[in-house]
Amino acid sequence: MEKGAPESSLCCARCGKPALLQCPKCAELKLPREGAAFCTQDCFKAAWSSHKSVHPKPNAQQSPEGWKYCLKKGRTRSLQLPRFEWTGPLRPYPISKMRVVPDEIEKPDWALDGIPKIEPNSDLQKRVEIKTPEQIERMRETCRIAREVLDAAARIIKPGITTDEIDESSMRRQLLEDNRKLEDGDIVNVDVTVYYKGVHGDLNETYFVGNVDEASKQLVRCTYECLEKAIAIVKPGVRFREVGEIINRHASMSGLSVVKSYCGHGIGELFHCAPNIPHYSRNKAVGIMKAGQTFTIEPMINAGVWNDRLWPDDWTAVTADGKRSAQFEHTLLVTETGCEVLTARLPSSPDVFPWLKP
């Protein structure tokens, strides 16, 4: 390991502590120091199996379709780690080329470039749609498929697997997956969106990777409970703003914070539409729930401050203080007497959450 400048403000790429040592291979390749700094030889050795993937392969320059760092939601890619004021120990890793979905499979208008064409100017951004029985049946089917895809991904999560391999196993199309290997003690969120028969189904869960510390276990469980408590109040006549009050109260009781930058949303033939459902207290969401509405609730709960930052890929949101965050999400249908969780766990869903065990 090479030693950096005495007054280094860099953080260890593995643990986040102040770092003065630098990966010699990264120095040789003149890669940005931000992702190559380590506090000790032990941290460097422990991180090597995943860190070495940031080193471009000898033929990388001749392989424009090869593994590269993602920028601007995938519209730009780079052979080098972008310069950025990273928070915490997590760093981006190169991603593979975009997977091809067969032409015979119907796709939403945002599938190729991530940019919706109809959605921004739809009147469903201003009014909450009441779904017809036929639309509801299509959504039930689509959400069931989304659940099955998420469960398939959950079954293969373990130390040593990459998020790209998880993506390949389930053919997800929402998140940016890379070749960083999951490590023992990680927590990982998998977010699935399925488009089928003209409608969307959306859900996500946060999973443990190997042996996880108690603070992370508490964070993930509390986030799960926040979603469950919010779902419990969903019924006709409830104000959308009440969802945030319920979630914020439960998270605060555990000393955790609620992200304010992202919210639940209406869903159906459009991926995102009215209503917007904030997850924090004292929000100004308008409207009340009515039978036939479909929307998501998807709280992000942080171990530290609620503030977030966006990586140079313009997609990955991370905590401003580098501490951990967890999220859970369901797509819901408001019924005459309550709600139906369209993306609910199935009897066949993997047994991954200890608090659900009998």
Side-chain angles (χ1 to χ4, degrees):
M1 290 283 284
E2 297 185 358
K3 193 163 185 177
E7 297 299 327
S8 174
S9 61
L10 298 175
C11 294
C12 177
R14 179 173 182 266
C15 69
K17 295 179 180 179
L20 291 174
L21 303 179
Q22 185 180 16
C23 167
K25 186 65 175 178
C26 288
E28 176 189 338
L29 295 171
K30 298 181 178 179
L31 297 178
R33 295 183 60 207
E34 288 85 350
F38 294 89
C39 60
T40 64
Q41 286 281 358
D42 289 339
C43 254
F44 176 61
K45 291 176 182 178
W48 176 250
S49 62
S50 56
H51 171 73
K52 64 183 179 182
S53 62
V54 308
H55 304 145
K57 296 180 181 179
N59 64 345
Q61 294 288 351
Q62 287 74 40
S63 180
E65 295 299 323
W67 292 77
K68 295 183 180 181
Y69 292 99
C70 178
L71 302 171
K72 298 180 180 179
K73 298 183 180 178
R75 293 190 290 275
T76 302
R77 297 194 181 196
S78 171
L79 289 169
Q80 294 190 340
L81 180 71
R83 293 188 178 277
F84 186 71
E85 293 184 6
W86 310 103
T87 64
L90 195 63
R91 299 291 184 273
Y93 279 67
I95 66 171
S96 60
K97 63 182 180 180
M98 184 175 179
R99 292 188 169 86
V100 177
V101 177
D103 291 339
E104 61 269 21
I105 295 179
E106 183 184 9
K107 306 172 189 65
D109 66 3
W110 51 265
L112 293 180
D113 58 10
I115 301 174
K117 313 304 184 295
I118 299 174
E119 186 176 294
N121 298 316
S122 170
D123 68 336
L124 294 182
Q125 300 300 340
K126 299 178 181 179
R127 67 175 180 87
V128 183
E129 181 181 36
I130 303 298
K131 301 295 191 296
T132 67
E134 185 270 339
Q135 286 176 310
I136 290 171
E137 282 306 311
R138 283 190 284 141
M139 289 203 65
R140 283 196 179 105
E141 189 173 359
T142 299
C143 287
R144 165 97 183 205
I145 295 171
R147 162 52 66 181
E148 292 171 348
V149 172
L150 181 63
D151 287 349
R155 291 188 182 96
I156 65 171
I157 289 175
K158 62 181 180 180
I161 196 170
T162 68
T163 51
D164 188 80
E165 290 171 320
I166 297 171
D167 178 69
E168 185 176 19
S169 74
S170 57
M171 277 299 289
R172 291 184 291 127
R173 296 187 58 81
Q174 184 173 351
L175 296 188
L176 299 175
E177 300 77 20
D178 57 35
N179 66 342
R180 176 191 182 273
K181 292 183 179 180
L182 297 181
E183 299 177 359
D184 187 66
D186 283 344
I187 60 174
V188 60
N189 180 271
V190 182
D191 193 322
V192 169
T193 301
V194 166
Y195 182 76
Y196 181 62
K197 292 188 175 180
V199 296
H200 297 79
D202 196 15
L203 78 162
N204 76 63
E205 291 181 340
T206 301
Y207 302 108
F208 303 126
V209 182
N211 300 304
V212 177
D213 62 79
E214 288 302 319
S216 295
K217 290 179 182 178
Q218 171 60 19
L219 170 66
V220 173
R221 179 167 183 170
C222 180
T223 307
Y224 181 95
E225 292 170 347
C226 282
L227 177 57
E228 291 297 300
K229 289 180 179 295
I231 291 173
I233 71 165
V234 174
K235 64 180 180 180
V238 174
R239 296 181 298 175
F240 292 121
R241 68 180 63 176
E242 293 299 322
V243 170
E245 299 295 335
I246 295 293
I247 291 171
N248 199 89
R249 184 179 305 123
H250 189 65
S252 297
M253 288 175 61
S254 296
L256 305 172
S257 62
V258 181
V259 173
K260 299 180 181 181
S261 306
Y262 303 93
C263 62
H265 54 86
I267 187 171
E269 293 175 356
L270 298 181
F271 189 6
H272 299 93
C273 54
N276 289 328
I277 304 178
H279 304 114
Y280 54 90
S281 62
R282 295 188 295 278
N283 66 79
K284 298 181 180 180
V286 298
I288 62 171
M289 301 176 190
K290 298 179 181 180
Q293 295 172 341
T294 55
F295 51 80
T296 71
I297 299 178
E298 45 188 294
M300 291 182 183
I301 308 299
N302 292 352
V305 299
W306 70 263
N307 312 75
D308 62 278
R309 299 185 63 186
L310 208 58
W311 273 2
D313 59 23
D314 285 344
W315 187 262
T316 305
V318 296
T319 56
D321 58 8
K323 295 184 179 181
R324 287 188 163 181
S325 180
Q327 185 183 28
F328 284 85
E329 173 187 20
H330 276 306
T331 296
L332 311 173
L333 164 69
V334 182
T335 65
E336 294 293 344
T337 57
C339 81
E340 177 182 343
V341 182
L342 299 178
T343 49
R345 291 175 59 82
L346 304 170
S348 59
S349 293
D351 185 11
V352 293
F353 300 120
W355 57 87
L356 296 181
K357 295 180 181 179

